[in-house]
Amino acid sequence: MLKNLWTRTLCALTVALACASAHAQPTPRGAFAQPTPVKPYLEPAIARPEQDKAAAEKLAALEKKFGRKPNILILLVDDMGWGDVGAFGGGLLIGAPTPNIDRLAAGGLKLLSVYSQPTCTPTRAALNTGRIPTRSGLTRPTLSGEVLKANPWADEVTAAKLLSAAGYRTALSGKWHLGEGDGSQPHQTGYDEYYGILSVISDLSQQLDKRLYPDLMLRPERLADLQKLSPAAITKGRKGGPLEIAERLTTTDELGQIDQKFADYSEDFIRRMAKDQKPFYLYHSFGRLHNDSYPAKGYEGKSPAGFPQRDALVEVDDVVGRLIKVLQDTGQLENTLVFFTSDNGGNEDLMPDSSYQPFRGGKGSTWEGGVRVPGIAYWPGMIAPGRVSDGLFDLCDMFNTPLGMAGIADKIPSERFIDGIDQTSFLLADEGKSKRDAVFMYAENALMAVRWMEYKLHFRVFLNQAAHRNLDESINVELGMAPWVYNLYMDPKEQSSQGHSRFEWGIPQVLQRAGRHSATFEKYPRKDIGLRKPGG
Amino acid sequence: MLKNLWTRTLCALTVALACASAHAQPTPRGAFAQPTPVKPYLEPAIARPEQDKAAAEKLAALEKKFGRKPNILILLVDDMGWGDVGAFGGGLLIGAPTPNIDRLAAGGLKLLSVYSQPTCTPTRAALNTGRIPTRSGLTRPTLSGEVLKANPWADEVTAAKLLSAAGYRTALSGKWHLGEGDGSQPHQTGYDEYYGILSVISDLSQQLDKRLYPDLMLRPERLADLQKLSPAAITKGRKGGPLEIAERLTTTDELGQIDQKFADYSEDFIRRMAKDQKPFYLYHSFGRLHNDSYPAKGYEGKSPAGFPQRDALVEVDDVVGRLIKVLQDTGQLENTLVFFTSDNGGNEDLMPDSSYQPFRGGKGSTWEGGVRVPGIAYWPGMIAPGRVSDGLFDLCDMFNTPLGMAGIADKIPSERFIDGIDQTSFLLADEGKSKRDAVFMYAENALMAVRWMEYKLHFRVFLNQAAHRNLDESINVELGMAPWVYNLYMDPKEQSSQGHSRFEWGIPQVLQRAGRHSATFEKYPRKDIGLRKPGG
């Protein structure tokens, strides 16, 4: 038996990890609901024709009522842990009530099994392109002032681009972090308008906070290049136009205001759209909860916990409430899908001022704490209130799903592989189930783990060198003889692998899926844009 | 500074741990809301006269309406982890929805900071007597067939006894686990009636399950004494009468039915009480979720997860729903405080069929995972729906609180120390706050940790020898130079002590409380009933 398992594991690991020589394995039928190939360049999906029909009817009735396609509002928080949200077990528990976000969860569909990538840039790449980062090359956070070998956006297509072409007004308000160079900026990649920051809060604070970064800030010769390449500023742009400085940031107090400014921009955008004849796609991408946290005016000590991250969480919740209210005030709430989520798990390396997840690991790891994020789909009249589902949802599905809702799924380009799945009917049908069969979890270019049903099978894992160091001091190691398997219903904290003793029946199923997944790289090769590890 | 801290720490540790020589320290005033001494034999409480008045008015109006004192229904689940309940972040997440318990939480007061003792017997002792276990001597689980040096109940007084004397009908339905010998049985210690098991499910299953206990079951010479001293049976008794066998349990199938039988008994009791003129105090003490789990009829595989513990969780939830419905059907719902909780954290040693808590550690430890339990106070018309509080609540408060609600707080005996606090007004006043200032956490006779505000300060900790072994293979160790301190708002998983770097201001506060607490042992000595460690 051991030999048998070993042979199977090795065989599939070969397929999964050394993709160049991989071959698609035949799909056995009958045993389980298997995903159905839709098109050769699309991730196979579980066929659910009845709920597709129900969702299509709802959308048709809504279009008739409003005379246009529905709006999409994506609320992406930075580094928010699964447990930060009250409705997911946090809130007051961690000294930061989140009543507005909780109301969305109670009034819509609470998604318990939404998966991101382990860090910022990869998740944002997946959400914008529908492709896992190893395909686009955006496999790790881009760094301020870093010059890439190739522009990832030369041949990637965002959902915003397709929606803009189909008559939507598309906007990014807030954090981009998908390339700062010419050709990589949001208004050059599909967004009709952009207002925000090209990188990330910490790239700005390191130019502003002497207390945290004395080794940089007090050495002008170190700071000079950085300030030239990536000045601390809010920038903006319109499709076809140049990148402009909207506002230079010269103090941490000013930096602390950025989420208020992003909210102002989004609020203005939503108000403008109410008067427009076009549907909109607004990607509201918070600067918070990423370090470093500087309180906006009135927020210092506002949370019961009183720490900066918790005050920032309270501010994020307030902004969510503000934007929902504007949708309501402008009569657009019932014609807008609101999708709330985070770009990765909370960063526990920041202890004690860190986000919270009940799971093992945090940002930067492929343990649940790094990649399982809160997810809420809210749409009064379209999504029944009080729904809760643990159906699988990968944030790359948020490429396909808006396109599905806008009726332009047929505009998805066919010469590249798309990992996302159109989850429109999962979200909209009253008894909707996920159409996703598996989630493939990556760290950079390595397939680390696969989630299937309630199981998670690891090929490689992150080990912490210190108690809670996930991003800064963890190591990525290969497993011994058998994969590690956790039943996430029984062991949500991934404490006790039960692969060999209790999951032999399922391992071949997961390996077969990993094999099929890896085989896609044969026809659709990965890109290297210069983010690979030196020597890697 | 280090020396100073060290001196202070040592000083207070001496006070806290070597109680014989301890002296009460003067209470400094002004800096924080300090608890006020009520009576010398009562734990000091934070004075909240306005909310006390509001609660008293509510109770008076209710008594006028119903013409009697209110009923008390305590629902105590065995070994339920904080995260098992949907409203506390579990439920569907762990493959076991708990809609009935969630409804109680949504319709009443969800208590985020309820503390038990780390194991069964100690918590039950605290809840019944209002005294921490080191006072009553019930410091660890009694074992089947174990003969104690002294009957703990010779001089302990239960809430049931005081309520019975004051005209209540008192009943225990389900698990006792506070002594099996003559004089220690529930109908001899204050319960007018009793139907249940004297020990714990695993003490029964070890006599019934050959697959789990072949080393005992297949060796008749080992089994004989056990079967004689503590036969596998449901027992019953009435005040003044003998202990009777209600039903012998001869198979695991029969054992699987016990919670249904306890529910039948409680249901019948509640129906009887509706016709009676007396108020009631019903302590419904589940056999589940303690190992070993055998499904009741119709429950095998009923949970989405399909594992026995999860099926048991679904059954517990159904029983909660059943009992609430009987209260409603008999017109008593608005005259009954329902208090739902668990006796300690989930037992993670049972992986993979184990309960879940998002915190560090599990049953048997004084990490949050061992002692922080779900708590819900539900009382339509008396407790405003939708309340959530992280105010401190120790399960020994459930001695005083029912007495307070019944108007017999003055009947609490004065010759012993009572650690519980009357939390009536915390539960009933619409903006009620906890009157508890600190929770003292024990393992057997050792003061392990103190919770104060959002901080937890450890003097000793449990370390796991294996990844998730809390009860069976952990060791209890003394700390190094400084206590470990966790800010539970910022670090609910107790990952990163911040005592010396960020809590120097508060350590003297906590030490002063530990000193005051330990000084109580001078006047009120601890008891040794024979449960101390051999050689200890």
Side-chain angles (χ1 to χ4, degrees), chain A residues 253-280:
Chain A
D253 277 354
E254 287 172 13
L255 181 52
Q257 291 304 117
I258 60 168
D259 272 303
Q260 292 299 317
K261 291 180 186 279
F262 301 161
D264 292 345
Y265 190 87
S266 287
E267 193 173 325
D268 177 67
F269 178 82
I270 293 169
R271 289 191 194 282
R272 281 191 276 129
M273 288 304 99
K275 295 178 196 145
D276 207 335
Q277 291 313 303
K278 284 181 165 186
F280 70 77

mmCIF file of all heavy atoms in Angstrom, chain A residues 253-280:
data_model
loop_
_atom_site.group_PDB
_atom_site.id
_atom_site.type_symbol
_atom_site.label_atom_id
_atom_site.label_comp_id
_atom_site.label_asym_id
_atom_site.label_seq_id
_atom_site.Cartn_x
_atom_site.Cartn_y
_atom_site.Cartn_z
ATOM 1 N N ASP A 253 0.530 62.064 8.532
ATOM 2 C CA ASP A 253 -0.855 62.528 8.716
ATOM 3 C C ASP A 253 -1.582 62.553 7.372
ATOM 4 O O ASP A 253 -2.738 62.138 7.269
ATOM 5 C CB ASP A 253 -0.883 63.937 9.319
ATOM 6 C CG ASP A 253 -0.725 63.910 10.838
ATOM 7 O OD1 ASP A 253 -0.709 62.789 11.402
ATOM 8 O OD2 ASP A 253 -0.624 64.988 11.441
ATOM 9 N N GLU A 254 -0.891 63.047 6.366
ATOM 10 C CA GLU A 254 -1.512 63.070 5.028
ATOM 11 C C GLU A 254 -1.731 61.645 4.522
ATOM 12 O O GLU A 254 -2.764 61.334 3.928
ATOM 13 C CB GLU A 254 -0.620 63.843 4.050
ATOM 14 C CG GLU A 254 -0.638 65.349 4.278
ATOM 15 C CD GLU A 254 0.401 66.103 3.424
ATOM 16 O OE1 GLU A 254 0.968 65.492 2.484
ATOM 17 O OE2 GLU A 254 0.635 67.279 3.729
ATOM 18 N N LEU A 255 -0.737 60.794 4.762
ATOM 19 C CA LEU A 255 -0.872 59.400 4.342
ATOM 20 C C LEU A 255 -2.073 58.743 5.022
ATOM 21 O O LEU A 255 -2.788 57.933 4.427
ATOM 22 C CB LEU A 255 0.422 58.637 4.663
ATOM 23 C CG LEU A 255 0.497 57.164 4.280
ATOM 24 C CD1 LEU A 255 0.136 56.927 2.818
ATOM 25 C CD2 LEU A 255 1.886 56.603 4.584
ATOM 26 N N GLY A 256 -2.299 59.141 6.276
ATOM 27 C CA GLY A 256 -3.433 58.585 7.014
ATOM 28 C C GLY A 256 -4.785 58.900 6.410
ATOM 29 O O GLY A 256 -5.779 58.233 6.698
ATOM 30 N N GLN A 257 -4.828 59.928 5.540
ATOM 31 C CA GLN A 257 -6.113 60.338 4.947
ATOM 32 C C GLN A 257 -6.446 59.586 3.661
ATOM 33 O O GLN A 257 -7.515 59.809 3.090
ATOM 34 C CB GLN A 257 -6.090 61.843 4.653
ATOM 35 C CG GLN A 257 -6.079 62.738 5.885
ATOM 36 C CD GLN A 257 -7.246 62.481 6.825
ATOM 37 O OE1 GLN A 257 -7.060 62.075 7.968
ATOM 38 N NE2 GLN A 257 -8.463 62.682 6.336
ATOM 39 N N ILE A 258 -5.559 58.718 3.187
ATOM 40 C CA ILE A 258 -5.776 58.222 1.811
ATOM 41 C C ILE A 258 -7.078 57.461 1.644
ATOM 42 O O ILE A 258 -7.740 57.601 0.619
ATOM 43 C CB ILE A 258 -4.593 57.378 1.271
ATOM 44 C CG1 ILE A 258 -4.325 56.155 2.132
ATOM 45 C CG2 ILE A 258 -3.354 58.219 1.070
ATOM 46 C CD1 ILE A 258 -3.366 55.186 1.454
ATOM 47 N N ASP A 259 -7.468 56.665 2.625
ATOM 48 C CA ASP A 259 -8.705 55.912 2.409
ATOM 49 C C ASP A 259 -9.936 56.813 2.411
ATOM 50 O O ASP A 259 -10.944 56.484 1.787
ATOM 51 C CB ASP A 259 -8.835 54.766 3.419
ATOM 52 C CG ASP A 259 -8.160 53.512 2.893
ATOM 53 O OD1 ASP A 259 -8.541 53.060 1.789
ATOM 54 O OD2 ASP A 259 -7.236 52.992 3.550
ATOM 55 N N GLN A 260 -9.851 57.927 3.127
ATOM 56 C CA GLN A 260 -10.937 58.905 3.054
ATOM 57 C C GLN A 260 -10.993 59.513 1.655
ATOM 58 O O GLN A 260 -12.069 59.744 1.109
ATOM 59 C CB GLN A 260 -10.739 60.003 4.105
ATOM 60 C CG GLN A 260 -10.903 59.500 5.537
ATOM 61 C CD GLN A 260 -12.304 58.947 5.820
ATOM 62 O OE1 GLN A 260 -13.299 59.547 5.408
ATOM 63 N NE2 GLN A 260 -12.378 57.801 6.486
ATOM 64 N N LYS A 261 -9.824 59.733 1.075
ATOM 65 C CA LYS A 261 -9.795 60.316 -0.271
ATOM 66 C C LYS A 261 -10.278 59.319 -1.324
ATOM 67 O O LYS A 261 -10.990 59.673 -2.254
ATOM 68 C CB LYS A 261 -8.386 60.821 -0.590
ATOM 69 C CG LYS A 261 -8.032 62.033 0.257
ATOM 70 C CD LYS A 261 -6.651 62.565 -0.029
ATOM 71 C CE LYS A 261 -6.306 63.679 0.948
ATOM 72 N NZ LYS A 261 -6.894 64.979 0.578
ATOM 73 N N PHE A 262 -9.878 58.073 -1.168
ATOM 74 C CA PHE A 262 -10.384 57.050 -2.099
ATOM 75 C C PHE A 262 -11.912 56.942 -1.976
ATOM 76 O O PHE A 262 -12.622 56.788 -2.973
ATOM 77 C CB PHE A 262 -9.770 55.676 -1.795
ATOM 78 C CG PHE A 262 -8.260 55.613 -1.880
ATOM 79 C CD1 PHE A 262 -7.559 54.575 -1.269
ATOM 80 C CD2 PHE A 262 -7.535 56.580 -2.565
ATOM 81 C CE1 PHE A 262 -6.173 54.498 -1.337
ATOM 82 C CE2 PHE A 262 -6.137 56.519 -2.635
ATOM 83 C CZ PHE A 262 -5.468 55.477 -2.022
ATOM 84 N N ALA A 263 -12.382 57.020 -0.735
ATOM 85 C CA ALA A 263 -13.834 56.944 -0.520
ATOM 86 C C ALA A 263 -14.535 58.149 -1.154
ATOM 87 O O ALA A 263 -15.598 58.006 -1.772
ATOM 88 C CB ALA A 263 -14.144 56.864 0.969
ATOM 89 N N ASP A 264 -13.923 59.340 -0.997
ATOM 90 C CA ASP A 264 -14.496 60.542 -1.633
ATOM 91 C C ASP A 264 -14.604 60.328 -3.139
ATOM 92 O O ASP A 264 -15.607 60.655 -3.762
ATOM 93 C CB ASP A 264 -13.602 61.767 -1.369
ATOM 94 C CG ASP A 264 -13.608 62.191 0.101
ATOM 95 O OD1 ASP A 264 -14.501 61.743 0.847
ATOM 96 O OD2 ASP A 264 -12.701 62.953 0.488
ATOM 97 N N TYR A 265 -13.507 59.787 -3.699
ATOM 98 C CA TYR A 265 -13.500 59.581 -5.149
ATOM 99 C C TYR A 265 -14.587 58.601 -5.569
ATOM 100 O O TYR A 265 -15.344 58.859 -6.519
ATOM 101 C CB TYR A 265 -12.122 59.077 -5.600
ATOM 102 C CG TYR A 265 -11.985 59.075 -7.101
ATOM 103 C CD1 TYR A 265 -11.549 60.213 -7.772
ATOM 104 C CD2 TYR A 265 -12.334 57.950 -7.847
ATOM 105 C CE1 TYR A 265 -11.455 60.228 -9.150
ATOM 106 C CE2 TYR A 265 -12.250 57.958 -9.218
ATOM 107 C CZ TYR A 265 -11.797 59.099 -9.873
ATOM 108 O OH TYR A 265 -11.717 59.115 -11.242
ATOM 109 N N SER A 266 -14.672 57.480 -4.848
ATOM 110 C CA SER A 266 -15.673 56.470 -5.210
ATOM 111 C C SER A 266 -17.086 57.020 -5.050
ATOM 112 O O SER A 266 -17.979 56.751 -5.856
ATOM 113 C CB SER A 266 -15.488 55.210 -4.350
ATOM 114 O OG SER A 266 -14.343 54.505 -4.767
ATOM 115 N N GLU A 267 -17.268 57.787 -3.988
ATOM 116 C CA GLU A 267 -18.589 58.373 -3.757
ATOM 117 C C GLU A 267 -18.965 59.292 -4.923
ATOM 118 O O GLU A 267 -20.076 59.209 -5.465
ATOM 119 C CB GLU A 267 -18.547 59.150 -2.433
ATOM 120 C CG GLU A 267 -19.908 59.522 -1.935
ATOM 121 C CD GLU A 267 -19.898 60.155 -0.546
ATOM 122 O OE1 GLU A 267 -19.066 59.755 0.293
ATOM 123 O OE2 GLU A 267 -20.744 61.042 -0.333
ATOM 124 N N ASP A 268 -18.005 60.110 -5.318
ATOM 125 C CA ASP A 268 -18.248 61.004 -6.456
ATOM 126 C C ASP A 268 -18.526 60.206 -7.726
ATOM 127 O O ASP A 268 -19.439 60.529 -8.496
ATOM 128 C CB ASP A 268 -17.031 61.919 -6.642
ATOM 129 C CG ASP A 268 -17.182 62.821 -7.855
ATOM 130 O OD1 ASP A 268 -18.075 63.697 -7.820
ATOM 131 O OD2 ASP A 268 -16.440 62.640 -8.848
ATOM 132 N N PHE A 269 -17.752 59.161 -7.936
ATOM 133 C CA PHE A 269 -17.937 58.323 -9.124
ATOM 134 C C PHE A 269 -19.347 57.731 -9.148
ATOM 135 O O PHE A 269 -20.042 57.781 -10.168
ATOM 136 C CB PHE A 269 -16.883 57.206 -9.136
ATOM 137 C CG PHE A 269 -17.011 56.245 -10.293
ATOM 138 C CD1 PHE A 269 -16.487 56.556 -11.538
ATOM 139 C CD2 PHE A 269 -17.669 55.029 -10.133
ATOM 140 C CE1 PHE A 269 -16.610 55.664 -12.613
ATOM 141 C CE2 PHE A 269 -17.790 54.134 -11.184
ATOM 142 C CZ PHE A 269 -17.256 54.455 -12.427
ATOM 143 N N ILE A 270 -19.762 57.183 -7.989
ATOM 144 C CA ILE A 270 -21.096 56.548 -7.928
ATOM 145 C C ILE A 270 -22.188 57.595 -8.199
ATOM 146 O O ILE A 270 -23.160 57.335 -8.915
ATOM 147 C CB ILE A 270 -21.298 55.862 -6.561
ATOM 148 C CG1 ILE A 270 -20.345 54.667 -6.419
ATOM 149 C CG2 ILE A 270 -22.738 55.395 -6.392
ATOM 150 C CD1 ILE A 270 -20.269 54.067 -5.016
ATOM 151 N N ARG A 271 -21.997 58.789 -7.669
ATOM 152 C CA ARG A 271 -22.984 59.857 -7.917
ATOM 153 C C ARG A 271 -23.015 60.244 -9.396
ATOM 154 O O ARG A 271 -24.081 60.438 -9.984
ATOM 155 C CB ARG A 271 -22.663 61.103 -7.078
ATOM 156 C CG ARG A 271 -22.936 60.908 -5.596
ATOM 157 C CD ARG A 271 -22.860 62.235 -4.814
ATOM 158 N NE ARG A 271 -22.799 61.976 -3.394
ATOM 159 C CZ ARG A 271 -23.848 61.638 -2.637
ATOM 160 N NH1 ARG A 271 -25.046 61.520 -3.190
ATOM 161 N NH2 ARG A 271 -23.709 61.399 -1.343
ATOM 162 N N ARG A 272 -21.820 60.362 -9.989
ATOM 163 C CA ARG A 272 -21.768 60.680 -11.426
ATOM 164 C C ARG A 272 -22.471 59.611 -12.244
ATOM 165 O O ARG A 272 -23.196 59.896 -13.193
ATOM 166 C CB ARG A 272 -20.311 60.795 -11.877
ATOM 167 C CG ARG A 272 -19.651 62.125 -11.529
ATOM 168 C CD ARG A 272 -18.322 62.251 -12.245
ATOM 169 N NE ARG A 272 -17.220 61.600 -11.551
ATOM 170 C CZ ARG A 272 -16.366 60.741 -12.097
ATOM 171 N NH1 ARG A 272 -16.497 60.382 -13.379
ATOM 172 N NH2 ARG A 272 -15.401 60.211 -11.390
ATOM 173 N N MET A 273 -22.234 58.335 -11.862
ATOM 174 C CA MET A 273 -22.789 57.235 -12.647
ATOM 175 C C MET A 273 -24.319 57.215 -12.605
ATOM 176 O O MET A 273 -24.971 56.760 -13.537
ATOM 177 C CB MET A 273 -22.246 55.900 -12.128
ATOM 178 C CG MET A 273 -20.782 55.659 -12.466
ATOM 179 S SD MET A 273 -20.407 55.743 -14.251
ATOM 180 C CE MET A 273 -19.769 57.411 -14.385
ATOM 181 N N ALA A 274 -24.865 57.708 -11.460
ATOM 182 C CA ALA A 274 -26.325 57.705 -11.350
ATOM 183 C C ALA A 274 -26.954 58.591 -12.415
ATOM 184 O O ALA A 274 -28.085 58.377 -12.837
ATOM 185 C CB ALA A 274 -26.735 58.188 -9.960
ATOM 186 N N LYS A 275 -26.172 59.588 -12.832
ATOM 187 C CA LYS A 275 -26.710 60.519 -13.841
ATOM 188 C C LYS A 275 -26.370 60.073 -15.250
ATOM 189 O O LYS A 275 -26.872 60.611 -16.222
ATOM 190 C CB LYS A 275 -26.141 61.918 -13.591
ATOM 191 C CG LYS A 275 -26.596 62.489 -12.263
ATOM 192 C CD LYS A 275 -25.972 63.864 -12.009
ATOM 193 C CE LYS A 275 -26.102 64.242 -10.545
ATOM 194 N NZ LYS A 275 -24.964 65.014 -10.045
ATOM 195 N N ASP A 276 -25.481 59.106 -15.353
ATOM 196 C CA ASP A 276 -24.997 58.638 -16.650
ATOM 197 C C ASP A 276 -25.953 57.570 -17.195
ATOM 198 O O ASP A 276 -26.764 57.031 -16.470
ATOM 199 C CB ASP A 276 -23.590 58.049 -16.445
ATOM 200 C CG ASP A 276 -22.754 58.158 -17.712
ATOM 201 O OD1 ASP A 276 -23.342 58.227 -18.813
ATOM 202 O OD2 ASP A 276 -21.516 58.167 -17.589
ATOM 203 N N GLN A 277 -25.842 57.252 -18.433
ATOM 204 C CA GLN A 277 -26.657 56.174 -18.980
ATOM 205 C C GLN A 277 -25.919 54.839 -18.970
ATOM 206 O O GLN A 277 -26.463 53.810 -19.350
ATOM 207 C CB GLN A 277 -27.095 56.502 -20.422
ATOM 208 C CG GLN A 277 -28.088 57.646 -20.486
ATOM 209 C CD GLN A 277 -29.230 57.498 -19.467
ATOM 210 O OE1 GLN A 277 -29.945 56.511 -19.461
ATOM 211 N NE2 GLN A 277 -29.375 58.488 -18.587
ATOM 212 N N LYS A 278 -24.660 54.860 -18.511
ATOM 213 C CA LYS A 278 -23.839 53.658 -18.579
ATOM 214 C C LYS A 278 -23.865 52.880 -17.273
ATOM 215 O O LYS A 278 -23.897 53.469 -16.194
ATOM 216 C CB LYS A 278 -22.379 54.045 -18.838
ATOM 217 C CG LYS A 278 -22.075 54.446 -20.257
ATOM 218 C CD LYS A 278 -20.583 54.767 -20.376
ATOM 219 C CE LYS A 278 -20.136 54.824 -21.819
ATOM 220 N NZ LYS A 278 -18.689 54.990 -21.930
ATOM 221 N N PRO A 279 -23.778 51.560 -17.345
ATOM 222 C CA PRO A 279 -23.507 50.799 -16.117
ATOM 223 C C PRO A 279 -22.038 51.006 -15.724
ATOM 224 O O PRO A 279 -21.228 51.424 -16.547
ATOM 225 C CB PRO A 279 -23.759 49.354 -16.531
ATOM 226 C CG PRO A 279 -23.539 49.327 -18.005
ATOM 227 C CD PRO A 279 -23.893 50.699 -18.532
ATOM 228 N N PHE A 280 -21.733 50.727 -14.466
ATOM 229 C CA PHE A 280 -20.342 50.919 -14.044
ATOM 230 C C PHE A 280 -19.741 49.666 -13.417
ATOM 231 O O PHE A 280 -20.452 48.776 -12.941
ATOM 232 C CB PHE A 280 -20.209 52.118 -13.096
ATOM 233 C CG PHE A 280 -20.803 51.933 -11.718
ATOM 234 C CD1 PHE A 280 -20.149 51.187 -10.731
ATOM 235 C CD2 PHE A 280 -22.016 52.539 -11.386
ATOM 236 C CE1 PHE A 280 -20.686 51.034 -9.456
ATOM 237 C CE2 PHE A 280 -22.572 52.382 -10.101
ATOM 238 C CZ PHE A 280 -21.905 51.619 -9.147
#
